[in-house]
Amino acid sequence: MIVLSYLWLLALVPLLVERHDPEVQWHAKHGLVLMIAELILLFGYIVMTSIVSLRAMGVGCALAILVVFGWVGVLALHVLAILKGVNGGRLIIPGLSDYANRL
């Protein structure tokens, strides 16, 4: 269930199924918080790339290519969170993991 917690929208499965396991609940909430933060960053990046593309086409295209590297970083973050969770730990991201405790 911890692995599902960090697979974007599939984090709802452990959140709804494992109600009596606080560790799985925390990881599911943390996975949802990560997903929401990633979507907000992606939306901001798309808006910024669109504005820059209107000004200078070449720079906007170069920025569009950088999104691939961003998604590799996101994937690495999720793999690291899964590995820590499976081994009994928690990946604490400053400023972001606090929201998982509040939900």
Side-chain angles (χ1 to χ4, degrees):
M1 286 295 185
I2 289 178
V3 174
L4 284 178
S5 297
Y6 291 104
L7 296 179
W8 293 282
L9 199 54
L10 290 176
L12 291 173
V13 172
L15 187 66
L16 298 174
V17 173
E18 295 290 331
R19 293 204 177 266
H20 302 292
D21 190 351
E23 191 67 21
V24 172
Q25 285 287 306
W26 187 88
H27 285 286
K29 292 175 185 176
H30 193 253
L32 287 174
V33 167
L34 279 176
M35 180 188 72
I36 291 169
E38 291 161 4
L39 289 175
I40 290 170
L41 286 174
L42 180 64
F43 179 74
Y45 185 80
I46 289 172
V47 169
M48 182 191 70
T49 303
S50 299
I51 292 171
V52 171
S53 292
L54 292 174
R55 294 281 185 191
M57 185 59 80
V59 177
C61 291
L63 286 175
I65 292 172
L66 288 177
V67 77
V68 174
F69 296 111
W71 280 111
V72 169
V74 166
L75 183 62
L77 180 69
H78 281 266
V79 169
L80 184 62
I82 289 170
L83 290 175
K84 280 198 80 120
V86 169
N87 290 326
R90 292 181 175 182
L91 179 67
I92 303 297
I93 301 170
L96 199 60
S97 296
D98 296 334
Y99 291 109
N101 294 330
R102 293 182 192 172
L103 294 177

Coordinates of all heavy atoms in Angstrom, one line a residue:
M1 N 0.8 -1.2 0.0 CA 0.0 0.0 0.0 C 0.9 1.3 0.0 O 0.4 2.3 -0.5 CB -0.9 0.0 1.2 CG -2.1 -0.9 1.1 SD -3.1 -0.5 -0.3 CE -4.4 -1.6 -0.1
I2 N 2.0 1.2 0.6 CA 2.9 2.4 0.6 C 3.4 2.7 -0.8 O 3.5 3.9 -1.2 CB 4.1 2.1 1.6 CG1 3.6 2.2 3.0 CG2 5.2 3.2 1.4 CD1 4.6 1.9 4.1
V3 N 3.6 1.7 -1.6 CA 4.0 1.9 -3.0 C 2.9 2.7 -3.7 O 3.1 3.6 -4.5 CB 4.4 0.6 -3.7 CG1 4.6 0.8 -5.2 CG2 5.6 0.0 -3.1
L4 N 1.7 2.3 -3.6 CA 0.5 2.9 -4.2 C 0.4 4.4 -3.7 O -0.1 5.2 -4.4 CB -0.8 2.2 -3.9 CG -1.0 0.9 -4.7 CD1 -2.3 0.3 -4.2 CD2 -1.0 1.1 -6.2
S5 N 0.8 4.7 -2.5 CA 0.7 6.0 -1.9 C 1.5 7.0 -2.8 O 1.1 8.2 -2.7 CB 1.2 6.0 -0.5 OG 0.5 5.2 0.3
Y6 N 2.5 6.6 -3.5 CA 3.3 7.6 -4.2 C 3.1 7.5 -5.7 O 3.9 8.0 -6.5 CB 4.8 7.4 -3.8 CG 5.0 7.9 -2.4 CD1 5.2 6.9 -1.4 CD2 5.0 9.2 -2.1 CE1 5.4 7.3 -0.1 CE2 5.2 9.6 -0.7 CZ 5.4 8.6 0.2 OH 5.6 9.0 1.5
L7 N 2.1 6.9 -6.2 CA 1.8 6.7 -7.6 C 0.6 7.7 -8.0 O -0.4 7.2 -8.4 CB 1.5 5.3 -8.0 CG 2.6 4.3 -7.8 CD1 2.2 2.9 -8.1 CD2 3.9 4.8 -8.5
W8 N 0.8 8.9 -7.7 CA -0.1 10.0 -8.0 C -1.5 9.8 -7.6 O -1.8 9.7 -6.4 CB 0.0 10.4 -9.5 CG 1.4 10.9 -9.8 CD1 1.8 12.2 -9.5 CD2 2.5 10.3 -10.3 NE1 3.1 12.4 -9.9 CE2 3.6 11.2 -10.4 CE3 2.7 9.0 -10.8 CZ2 4.8 10.9 -10.9 CZ3 4.0 8.6 -11.3 CH2 5.0 9.6 -11.3
L9 N -2.5 9.6 -8.4 CA -3.9 9.5 -8.1 C -4.2 8.2 -7.4 O -5.2 8.1 -6.7 CB -4.8 9.7 -9.3 CG -6.2 10.1 -9.0 CD1 -6.3 11.3 -8.1 CD2 -6.9 10.3 -10.3
L10 N -3.3 7.2 -7.5 CA -3.6 5.9 -6.9 C -3.4 6.0 -5.4 O -3.7 5.0 -4.6 CB -2.6 4.8 -7.5 CG -3.0 4.4 -8.9 CD1 -1.9 3.4 -9.3 CD2 -4.3 3.8 -9.0
A11 N -2.9 7.1 -4.9 CA -2.8 7.3 -3.4 C -4.1 7.3 -2.7 O -4.2 7.1 -1.5 CB -2.1 8.7 -3.2
L12 N -5.2 7.5 -3.5 CA -6.5 7.4 -2.9 C -6.9 6.0 -2.4 O -7.6 5.9 -1.5 CB -7.6 7.9 -3.9 CG -7.5 9.4 -4.2 CD1 -8.5 9.8 -5.3 CD2 -7.8 10.2 -3.0
V13 N -6.3 5.0 -3.1 CA -6.6 3.6 -2.7 C -6.2 3.3 -1.3 O -7.0 2.9 -0.5 CB -6.0 2.6 -3.7 CG1 -6.2 1.2 -3.3 CG2 -6.6 2.8 -5.1
P14 N -4.9 3.5 -0.9 CA -4.6 3.3 0.5 C -5.2 4.2 1.5 O -5.5 3.8 2.6 CB -3.0 3.4 0.5 CG -2.6 3.9 -0.8 CD -3.8 3.8 -1.7
L15 N -5.5 5.4 1.0 CA -6.1 6.4 1.9 C -7.6 5.9 2.3 O -8.0 6.1 3.4 CB -6.2 7.8 1.2 CG -6.7 8.9 2.1 CD1 -5.7 9.2 3.2 CD2 -6.9 10.1 1.3
L16 N -8.3 5.3 1.4 CA -9.6 4.9 1.6 C -9.7 3.4 2.2 O -10.6 3.1 2.9 CB -10.4 5.0 0.4 CG -10.6 6.4 -0.2 CD1 -11.3 6.3 -1.6 CD2 -11.3 7.3 0.8
V17 N -8.7 2.6 1.8 CA -8.8 1.2 2.2 C -8.1 0.9 3.6 O -8.7 0.2 4.4 CB -8.1 0.3 1.1 CG1 -8.0 -1.2 1.6 CG2 -8.9 0.4 -0.2
E18 N -7.0 1.5 3.8 CA -6.2 1.2 5.1 C -6.5 2.3 6.1 O -5.6 3.1 6.5 CB -4.7 1.1 4.8 CG -4.3 0.0 3.9 CD -4.4 -1.3 4.6 OE1 -4.3 -1.4 5.9 OE2 -4.7 -2.3 4.0
R19 N -7.7 2.4 6.6 CA -8.1 3.5 7.5 C -7.5 3.3 8.9 O -7.4 4.2 9.7 CB -9.6 3.6 7.6 CG -10.2 4.0 6.4 CD -11.6 4.7 6.7 NE -12.2 5.2 5.5 CZ -12.1 6.5 5.1 NH1 -11.4 7.3 5.8 NH2 -12.7 6.9 4.1
H20 N -7.1 2.0 9.3 CA -6.6 1.8 10.7 C -5.1 1.7 10.8 O -4.6 1.4 11.9 CB -7.3 0.5 11.2 CG -8.8 0.5 11.2 ND1 -9.5 1.3 12.0 CD2 -9.7 -0.1 10.4 CE1 -10.8 1.2 11.7 NE2 -10.9 0.3 10.8
D21 N -4.4 2.0 9.7 CA -3.0 2.0 9.7 C -2.4 3.4 9.6 O -2.5 3.9 8.5 CB -2.4 1.1 8.6 CG -0.9 0.8 8.7 OD1 -0.3 1.4 9.6 OD2 -0.4 0.0 8.0
P22 N -2.0 4.0 10.7 CA -1.6 5.4 10.6 C -0.4 5.6 9.7 O -0.2 6.7 9.1 CB -1.3 5.8 12.1 CG -1.2 4.5 12.8 CD -1.9 3.5 12.0
E23 N 0.5 4.7 9.6 CA 1.7 4.8 8.8 C 1.3 4.9 7.3 O 1.8 5.7 6.5 CB 2.7 3.7 9.0 CG 4.0 3.9 8.4 CD 4.8 5.1 9.1 OE1 4.5 5.5 10.2 OE2 5.7 5.6 8.4
V24 N 0.4 4.0 6.9 CA 0.0 4.0 5.5 C -0.8 5.2 5.2 O -0.7 5.8 4.1 CB -0.8 2.7 5.2 CG1 -1.5 2.8 3.8 CG2 0.1 1.5 5.3
Q25 N -1.7 5.7 6.2 CA -2.4 6.9 6.0 C -1.5 8.1 5.8 O -1.8 8.9 4.9 CB -3.3 7.1 7.2 CG -4.5 6.2 7.3 CD -5.6 6.6 6.3 OE1 -6.0 7.7 6.3 NE2 -5.9 5.6 5.5
W26 N -0.4 8.2 6.6 CA 0.5 9.3 6.4 C 1.1 9.3 5.0 O 1.2 10.3 4.4 CB 1.6 9.3 7.5 CG 2.4 10.5 7.4 CD1 2.2 11.7 8.1 CD2 3.6 10.7 6.6 NE1 3.2 12.6 7.7 CE2 4.1 12.0 6.9 CE3 4.4 9.9 5.8 CZ2 5.2 12.5 6.3 CZ3 5.5 10.4 5.2 CH2 5.9 11.7 5.4
H27 N 1.6 8.1 4.6 CA 2.2 8.0 3.3 C 1.2 8.4 2.2 O 1.6 9.0 1.2 CB 2.8 6.7 3.1 CG 4.1 6.5 3.8 ND1 5.3 7.0 3.5 CD2 4.3 5.7 4.9 CE1 6.2 6.7 4.3 NE2 5.7 5.9 5.2
A28 N 0.0 7.9 2.3 CA -1.1 8.3 1.3 C -1.3 9.8 1.2 O -1.4 10.4 0.2 CB -2.3 7.5 1.6
K29 N -1.4 10.4 2.4 CA -1.6 11.8 2.4 C -0.4 12.6 1.9 O -0.5 13.6 1.2 CB -1.9 12.3 3.9 CG -3.2 11.8 4.4 CD -3.4 12.2 5.9 CE -4.7 11.6 6.4 NZ -4.8 11.9 7.9
H30 N 0.8 12.1 2.2 CA 2.0 12.7 1.7 C 2.1 12.5 0.2 O 2.5 13.5 -0.5 CB 3.2 12.0 2.3 CG 4.5 12.7 2.1 ND1 5.5 12.3 1.3 CD2 4.9 13.9 2.7 CE1 6.5 13.1 1.3 NE2 6.2 14.1 2.1
G31 N 1.6 11.4 -0.4 CA 1.6 11.2 -1.8 C 0.6 12.2 -2.5 O 0.9 12.7 -3.6
L32 N -0.5 12.4 -1.9 CA -1.5 13.3 -2.4 C -1.0 14.8 -2.4 O -1.1 15.5 -3.3 CB -2.8 13.2 -1.7 CG -3.6 12.0 -2.0 CD1 -4.8 11.9 -1.1 CD2 -4.0 11.9 -3.4
V33 N -0.3 15.1 -1.3 CA 0.3 16.5 -1.2 C 1.4 16.6 -2.3 O 1.4 17.7 -2.9 CB 0.9 16.7 0.2 CG1 1.7 17.9 0.3 CG2 -0.3 16.8 1.2
L34 N 2.2 15.6 -2.5 CA 3.2 15.7 -3.5 C 2.6 15.9 -4.9 O 3.0 16.7 -5.7 CB 4.1 14.5 -3.5 CG 5.2 14.4 -2.5 CD1 5.9 13.0 -2.6 CD2 6.2 15.5 -2.8
M35 N 1.5 15.1 -5.2 CA 0.8 15.2 -6.4 C 0.3 16.6 -6.7 O 0.4 17.2 -7.8 CB -0.3 14.2 -6.5 CG -1.0 14.2 -7.8 SD -2.5 13.2 -7.9 CE -3.6 14.1 -6.8
I36 N -0.4 17.2 -5.7 CA -0.9 18.5 -5.8 C 0.2 19.5 -6.0 O 0.0 20.4 -6.9 CB -1.8 18.8 -4.6 CG1 -3.1 18.0 -4.6 CG2 -2.2 20.3 -4.6 CD1 -3.9 18.0 -3.3
A37 N 1.3 19.4 -5.3 CA 2.4 20.4 -5.5 C 3.0 20.2 -6.9 O 3.3 21.3 -7.5 CB 3.4 20.1 -4.4
E38 N 3.1 19.0 -7.4 CA 3.6 18.8 -8.7 C 2.7 19.4 -9.8 O 3.2 20.0 -10.8 CB 3.8 17.3 -9.0 CG 5.0 16.8 -8.2 CD 4.9 15.2 -8.0 OE1 4.0 14.6 -8.7 OE2 5.7 14.7 -7.3
L39 N 1.4 19.2 -9.6 CA 0.5 19.8 -10.6 C 0.5 21.3 -10.6 O 0.4 22.0 -11.6 CB -1.0 19.3 -10.3 CG -1.2 17.8 -10.6 CD1 -2.6 17.4 -10.2 CD2 -1.0 17.5 -12.1
I40 N 0.6 21.9 -9.4 CA 0.7 23.4 -9.3 C 2.0 23.9 -10.0 O 2.0 24.8 -10.7 CB 0.7 23.8 -7.8 CG1 -0.8 23.6 -7.3 CG2 1.1 25.3 -7.7 CD1 -0.9 23.8 -5.8
L41 N 3.1 23.2 -9.7 CA 4.4 23.6 -10.4 C 4.3 23.4 -11.9 O 4.8 24.2 -12.6 CB 5.5 22.8 -9.8 CG 6.0 23.2 -8.4 CD1 7.0 22.2 -7.9 CD2 6.5 24.6 -8.4
L42 N 3.7 22.3 -12.3 CA 3.6 22.1 -13.8 C 2.7 23.1 -14.4 O 3.1 23.6 -15.5 CB 3.0 20.7 -14.0 CG 2.8 20.3 -15.5 CD1 4.1 20.2 -16.2 CD2 2.0 19.0 -15.6
F43 N 1.6 23.5 -13.8 CA 0.8 24.6 -14.3 C 1.5 25.9 -14.4 O 1.5 26.6 -15.4 CB -0.5 24.7 -13.5 CG -1.4 25.8 -14.0 CD1 -2.2 25.6 -15.1 CD2 -1.5 27.0 -13.3 CE1 -3.0 26.6 -15.6 CE2 -2.3 28.0 -13.8 CZ -3.1 27.8 -14.9
G44 N 2.2 26.2 -13.4 CA 3.1 27.5 -13.4 C 4.1 27.4 -14.4 O 4.4 28.4 -15.1
Y45 N 4.7 26.3 -14.6 CA 5.8 26.1 -15.6 C 5.2 26.3 -17.0 O 5.8 26.9 -17.9 CB 6.5 24.8 -15.5 CG 7.6 24.6 -16.4 CD1 8.9 25.1 -16.1 CD2 7.5 23.9 -17.6 CE1 9.9 25.0 -17.0 CE2 8.5 23.7 -18.5 CZ 9.8 24.2 -18.2 OH 10.8 24.1 -19.0
I46 N 4.0 25.7 -17.3 CA 3.4 25.8 -18.6 C 3.0 27.2 -18.9 O 3.2 27.7 -20.0 CB 2.2 24.8 -18.7 CG1 2.6 23.4 -18.7 CG2 1.3 25.2 -19.9 CD1 1.5 22.4 -18.6
V47 N 2.5 27.9 -17.9 CA 2.1 29.3 -18.1 C 3.4 30.1 -18.4 O 3.4 31.0 -19.3 CB 1.4 29.9 -16.8 CG1 1.3 31.4 -16.9 CG2 0.0 29.3 -16.7
M48 N 4.5 29.9 -17.6 CA 5.7 30.7 -17.9 C 6.3 30.4 -19.3 O 6.7 31.3 -20.0 CB 6.7 30.3 -16.8 CG 8.0 31.1 -17.0 SD 9.4 30.5 -15.9 CE 9.7 28.9 -16.7
T49 N 6.3 29.1 -19.7 CA 6.8 28.7 -21.0 C 5.9 29.3 -22.1 O 6.5 29.8 -23.1 CB 6.8 27.2 -21.1 OG1 7.6 26.6 -20.0 CG2 7.4 26.7 -22.4
S50 N 4.6 29.4 -21.9 CA 3.8 30.0 -22.9 C 4.0 31.5 -23.1 O 4.1 32.0 -24.2 CB 2.3 29.8 -22.5 OG 2.0 28.4 -22.5
I51 N 4.2 32.2 -22.0 CA 4.5 33.6 -22.0 C 5.9 33.8 -22.7 O 6.0 34.7 -23.6 CB 4.5 34.2 -20.6 CG1 3.0 34.2 -20.1 CG2 5.0 35.6 -20.6 CD1 2.9 34.6 -18.7
V52 N 6.9 33.1 -22.3 CA 8.2 33.2 -22.9 C 8.1 32.9 -24.4 O 8.8 33.5 -25.2 CB 9.2 32.4 -22.2 CG1 10.6 32.4 -22.9 CG2 9.4 32.9 -20.8
S53 N 7.4 31.9 -24.8 CA 7.3 31.5 -26.2 C 6.7 32.6 -27.0 O 7.0 32.7 -28.2 CB 6.4 30.2 -26.3 OG 7.1 29.1 -25.8
L54 N 5.7 33.3 -26.5 CA 5.2 34.4 -27.2 C 6.2 35.5 -27.5 O 6.1 36.2 -28.5 CB 4.0 35.0 -26.5 CG 2.7 34.1 -26.4 CD1 1.7 34.8 -25.5 CD2 2.2 33.8 -27.8
R55 N 7.1 35.7 -26.6 CA 8.2 36.7 -26.7 C 9.3 36.3 -27.7 O 9.7 37.0 -28.5 CB 8.8 37.1 -25.4 CG 7.8 37.8 -24.5 CD 7.7 39.2 -24.9 NE 6.8 39.9 -23.9 CZ 6.4 41.1 -24.1 NH1 6.8 41.7 -25.2 NH2 5.7 41.7 -23.3
A56 N 9.8 35.1 -27.4 CA 11.0 34.6 -28.1 C 10.8 33.1 -28.3 O 10.9 32.3 -27.4 CB 12.3 34.9 -27.4
M57 N 10.5 32.7 -29.6 CA 10.2 31.3 -29.9 C 11.3 30.3 -29.5 O 11.0 29.3 -28.9 CB 9.9 31.2 -31.3 CG 9.4 29.8 -31.7 SD 7.9 29.3 -30.9 CE 6.7 30.1 -31.8
G58 N 12.5 30.7 -29.7 CA 13.6 29.7 -29.4 C 13.8 29.5 -27.9 O 14.0 28.3 -27.5
V59 N 13.7 30.5 -27.1 CA 13.8 30.3 -25.7 C 12.6 29.5 -25.1 O 12.8 28.7 -24.3 CB 13.9 31.7 -25.0 CG1 14.0 31.5 -23.5 CG2 15.1 32.5 -25.5
G60 N 11.5 29.7 -25.6 CA 10.3 29.0 -25.2 C 10.4 27.5 -25.5 O 10.1 26.6 -24.7
C61 N 11.0 27.2 -26.7 CA 11.2 25.8 -27.1 C 12.2 25.1 -26.2 O 12.1 24.0 -25.8 CB 11.6 25.7 -28.5 SG 10.3 26.1 -29.7
A62 N 13.3 25.9 -25.8 CA 14.3 25.3 -24.9 C 13.7 25.1 -23.5 O 14.0 24.1 -22.9 CB 15.5 26.3 -24.8
L63 N 12.9 26.0 -23.1 CA 12.2 25.8 -21.8 C 11.3 24.6 -21.8 O 11.1 23.8 -20.8 CB 11.4 27.0 -21.4 CG 12.3 28.2 -20.9 CD1 11.3 29.4 -20.6 CD2 13.0 27.8 -19.6
A64 N 10.6 24.3 -22.9 CA 9.7 23.2 -23.1 C 10.5 21.8 -23.0 O 10.0 20.9 -22.5 CB 9.0 23.2 -24.4
I65 N 11.7 21.9 -23.4 CA 12.6 20.6 -23.4 C 13.0 20.4 -21.9 O 13.1 19.2 -21.5 CB 13.8 20.8 -24.3 CG1 13.3 20.8 -25.7 CG2 14.8 19.7 -24.0 CD1 14.4 21.1 -26.7
L66 N 13.2 21.4 -21.1 CA 13.6 21.3 -19.7 C 12.5 20.6 -18.9 O 12.9 20.0 -17.8 CB 13.9 22.6 -19.1 CG 15.2 23.3 -19.6 CD1 15.3 24.7 -19.0 CD2 16.4 22.5 -19.3
V67 N 11.3 20.5 -19.3 CA 10.3 19.9 -18.5 C 10.6 18.4 -18.4 O 10.2 17.7 -17.4 CB 8.9 20.2 -19.1 CG1 8.6 19.3 -20.3 CG2 7.8 19.9 -18.0
V68 N 11.2 17.8 -19.4 CA 11.6 16.4 -19.3 C 12.5 16.1 -18.1 O 12.3 15.2 -17.4 CB 12.3 16.0 -20.6 CG1 12.8 14.6 -20.5 CG2 11.3 16.1 -21.8
F69 N 13.5 17.0 -17.9 CA 14.4 16.9 -16.8 C 13.7 17.1 -15.5 O 14.0 16.4 -14.5 CB 15.6 17.9 -16.9 CG 16.4 17.6 -18.1 CD1 16.4 18.5 -19.2 CD2 17.2 16.5 -18.2 CE1 17.2 18.3 -20.3 CE2 18.0 16.2 -19.3 CZ 18.0 17.1 -20.3
G70 N 12.7 17.9 -15.5 CA 11.9 18.1 -14.3 C 11.1 16.8 -13.9 O 11.0 16.5 -12.7
W71 N 10.5 16.2 -14.9 CA 9.8 15.0 -14.6 C 10.7 13.8 -14.2 O 10.3 12.9 -13.4 CB 8.9 14.5 -15.8 CG 7.7 15.3 -15.9 CD1 7.3 16.3 -16.8 CD2 6.6 15.3 -14.9 NE1 6.1 16.8 -16.5 CE2 5.6 16.2 -15.4 CE3 6.3 14.6 -13.8 CZ2 4.4 16.4 -14.7 CZ3 5.2 14.8 -13.1 CH2 4.2 15.7 -13.5
V72 N 11.9 13.8 -14.7 CA 12.9 12.8 -14.2 C 13.2 13.0 -12.7 O 13.3 12.1 -11.9 CB 14.2 12.8 -15.1 CG1 15.3 12.0 -14.4 CG2 13.9 12.4 -16.5
G73 N 13.3 14.3 -12.3 CA 13.5 14.7 -10.9 C 12.3 14.2 -10.1 O 12.4 13.7 -9.0
V74 N 11.1 14.5 -10.6 CA 9.9 14.1 -9.9 C 9.8 12.6 -9.7 O 9.5 12.0 -8.6 CB 8.6 14.6 -10.6 CG1 7.3 13.9 -10.1 CG2 8.5 16.1 -10.5
L75 N 10.1 11.8 -10.8 CA 10.2 10.4 -10.7 C 11.2 9.9 -9.7 O 10.9 9.0 -8.9 CB 10.5 9.8 -12.1 CG 10.5 8.3 -12.2 CD1 9.1 7.7 -11.9 CD2 10.9 7.9 -13.6
A76 N 12.4 10.5 -9.7 CA 13.4 10.2 -8.7 C 12.9 10.4 -7.2 O 13.2 9.6 -6.3 CB 14.7 10.9 -9.0
L77 N 12.2 11.5 -7.1 CA 11.6 11.9 -5.7 C 10.6 10.8 -5.3 O 10.6 10.4 -4.1 CB 11.0 13.2 -5.8 CG 10.4 13.7 -4.5 CD1 11.5 14.0 -3.5 CD2 9.5 14.9 -4.7
H78 N 9.8 10.3 -6.2 CA 8.8 9.3 -5.9 C 9.5 8.0 -5.6 O 9.0 7.3 -4.6 CB 7.8 9.2 -7.0 CG 6.7 10.2 -7.0 ND1 5.5 10.1 -6.4 CD2 6.8 11.5 -7.5 CE1 4.8 11.2 -6.5 NE2 5.6 12.1 -7.3
V79 N 10.5 7.6 -6.3 CA 11.2 6.4 -6.1 C 11.9 6.4 -4.7 O 11.8 5.5 -3.9 CB 12.2 6.1 -7.2 CG1 13.1 4.9 -6.8 CG2 11.5 5.8 -8.5
L80 N 12.5 7.6 -4.4 CA 13.1 7.7 -3.1 C 12.1 7.6 -1.9 O 12.3 7.0 -0.9 CB 13.9 9.1 -3.0 CG 14.7 9.3 -1.8 CD1 15.8 8.3 -1.6 CD2 15.3 10.7 -1.9
A81 N 10.9 8.3 -2.1 CA 9.9 8.2 -1.1 C 9.4 6.8 -0.9 O 9.1 6.3 0.2 CB 8.7 9.1 -1.5
I82 N 9.2 6.0 -2.0 CA 8.8 4.6 -2.0 C 9.8 3.8 -1.2 O 9.4 3.0 -0.3 CB 8.5 4.1 -3.4 CG1 7.2 4.7 -4.0 CG2 8.4 2.6 -3.3 CD1 7.0 4.4 -5.4
L83 N 11.1 4.0 -1.6 CA 12.1 3.2 -0.9 C 12.2 3.5 0.6 O 12.3 2.5 1.4 CB 13.5 3.4 -1.6 CG 13.6 2.9 -3.0 CD1 15.0 3.3 -3.6 CD2 13.5 1.4 -2.9
K84 N 12.1 4.7 1.0 CA 12.1 5.1 2.4 C 10.9 4.5 3.1 O 11.0 4.0 4.2 CB 12.2 6.6 2.6 CG 13.7 7.1 2.4 CD 13.8 8.4 3.0 CE 14.0 8.3 4.5 NZ 15.2 8.8 5.0
G85 N 9.7 4.6 2.5 CA 8.5 4.1 3.1 C 8.5 2.6 3.2 O 8.1 2.1 4.3
V86 N 9.0 1.9 2.2 CA 9.0 0.4 2.3 C 10.0 0.0 3.4 O 9.8 -1.0 4.1 CB 9.4 -0.2 1.0 CG1 9.7 -1.6 1.1 CG2 8.2 0.0 0.0
N87 N 11.0 0.7 3.6 CA 12.0 0.4 4.7 C 11.6 0.9 6.0 O 12.4 0.9 7.0 CB 13.4 0.9 4.3 CG 14.0 0.2 3.1 OD1 13.7 -1.0 3.0 ND2 14.7 0.9 2.2
G88 N 10.4 1.5 6.2 CA 10.0 1.9 7.5 C 10.2 3.4 7.8 O 9.9 3.8 8.9
G89 N 10.7 4.1 6.9 CA 11.0 5.5 7.2 C 10.0 6.5 6.5 O 9.1 6.0 5.8
R90 N 10.3 7.7 6.6 CA 9.5 8.8 6.0 C 10.4 9.7 5.3 O 11.4 10.2 5.9 CB 8.6 9.5 7.0 CG 7.5 8.7 7.6 CD 6.7 9.5 8.6 NE 5.6 8.8 9.1 CZ 4.7 9.3 9.9 NH1 4.8 10.5 10.4 NH2 3.7 8.5 10.4
L91 N 10.1 10.1 4.1 CA 10.8 11.1 3.4 C 10.2 12.5 3.7 O 9.1 12.8 3.4 CB 10.8 10.9 1.8 CG 11.5 12.0 1.0 CD1 13.0 11.9 1.3 CD2 11.2 11.8 -0.5
I92 N 10.9 13.3 4.5 CA 10.4 14.6 4.9 C 10.9 15.6 3.9 O 12.2 15.8 3.8 CB 10.9 14.9 6.4 CG1 10.4 13.8 7.3 CG2 10.4 16.2 6.8 CD1 8.9 13.6 7.4
I93 N 10.0 16.3 3.3 CA 10.4 17.4 2.4 C 10.0 18.7 3.2 O 8.8 18.9 3.5 CB 9.6 17.3 1.1 CG1 9.9 16.0 0.4 CG2 9.9 18.5 0.2 CD1 9.0 15.7 -0.7
P94 N 11.0 19.6 3.5 CA 10.7 20.8 4.3 C 9.7 21.6 3.6 O 9.7 21.9 2.4 CB 12.1 21.5 4.3 CG 13.1 20.4 4.0 CD 12.4 19.4 3.1
G95 N 8.7 22.1 4.4 CA 7.6 22.9 3.9 C 6.5 22.2 3.3 O 5.4 22.7 3.2
L96 N 6.7 21.0 2.8 CA 5.7 20.3 2.1 C 5.1 19.1 2.9 O 3.9 18.9 2.9 CB 6.2 19.8 0.8 CG 5.2 19.4 -0.3 CD1 4.4 20.6 -0.7 CD2 6.0 18.9 -1.5
S97 N 5.9 18.5 3.6 CA 5.5 17.3 4.4 C 4.6 17.7 5.6 O 3.9 16.9 6.1 CB 6.7 16.5 4.9 OG 7.4 16.0 3.8
D98 N 4.7 18.9 6.0 CA 3.8 19.4 7.1 C 2.4 19.3 6.7 O 1.5 19.1 7.6 CB 4.2 20.8 7.5 CG 5.6 20.9 8.1 OD1 6.1 19.9 8.6 OD2 6.2 22.0 7.9
Y99 N 2.0 19.5 5.5 CA 0.7 19.4 5.0 C 0.1 18.0 5.2 O -1.1 17.9 5.4 CB 0.5 19.9 3.6 CG 0.7 21.4 3.4 CD1 1.9 21.9 2.8 CD2 -0.2 22.3 3.9 CE1 2.1 23.2 2.7 CE2 0.0 23.7 3.8 CZ 1.2 24.1 3.2 OH 1.4 25.5 3.1
A100 N 0.9 17.0 5.1 CA 0.4 15.6 5.2 C 0.0 15.4 6.7 O -0.9 14.6 7.0 CB 1.5 14.6 4.8
N101 N 0.7 16.1 7.6 CA 0.3 15.9 9.0 C -1.0 16.6 9.3 O -1.7 16.3 10.3 CB 1.4 16.5 9.9 CG 2.7 15.7 9.8 OD1 2.7 14.5 9.6 ND2 3.8 16.3 10.0
R102 N -1.3 17.7 8.6 CA -2.5 18.5 8.8 C -3.8 17.8 8.3 O -4.8 18.1 8.8 CB -2.4 19.9 8.2 CG -1.3 20.7 8.8 CD -1.3 22.1 8.2 NE -0.1 22.8 8.6 CZ 0.3 23.9 8.1 NH1 -0.4 24.5 7.1 NH2 1.4 24.5 8.5
L103 N -3.6 17.0 7.3 CA -4.8 16.4 6.7 C -5.4 15.3 7.6 O -4.9 14.6 8.3 CB -4.5 15.8 5.3 CG -4.1 16.8 4.3 CD1 -3.7 16.1 3.0 CD2 -5.2 17.7 4.0

